Amino acid sequence: MPSSWKPPDYGEPDDTAGADVLAAYREVRREVIAVQSGALHRLYENHRISDTTLRQLQRDLDLKETGLGGT
């Protein structure tokens, strides 16, 4: 490499970029959880899973959503 070569300067990291990525992840994850919840309810309505199974799995989804934090 010639001695005049310098790596590109990307500037200082932007903390808001990380926050934006986290917010987008949370939004997508909440959407996935909503789809999973809907699927559970359809399984229950079609008598494919019991009330107990629905409640247990819905509780797991609720805990996952709560764990996402933020808004």
Side-chain angles (χ1 to χ4, degrees):
M1 259 183 265
S3 60
S4 61
W5 183 86
K6 294 181 183 176
D9 181 15
Y10 297 111
E12 293 297 314
D14 184 0
D15 287 342
T16 60
D20 291 345
V21 169
L22 181 57
Y25 168 79
R26 287 176 173 155
E27 180 181 342
V28 168
R29 191 68 185 109
R30 281 191 180 92
E31 290 173 8
V32 168
I33 290 170
V35 169
Q36 290 173 323
S37 180
L40 283 178
H41 286 275
R42 283 189 299 282
L43 288 170
Y44 174 72
E45 290 166 1
N46 292 321
H47 307 286
R48 303 293 304 266
I49 60 174
S50 68
D51 178 64
T52 301
T53 300
L54 171 66
R55 284 185 284 120
Q56 289 172 341
L57 294 173
Q58 186 63 57
R59 180 179 183 275
D60 289 344
L61 291 176
D62 292 344
L63 289 172
K64 287 178 183 178
E65 186 173 18
T66 300
L68 290 173
T71 55

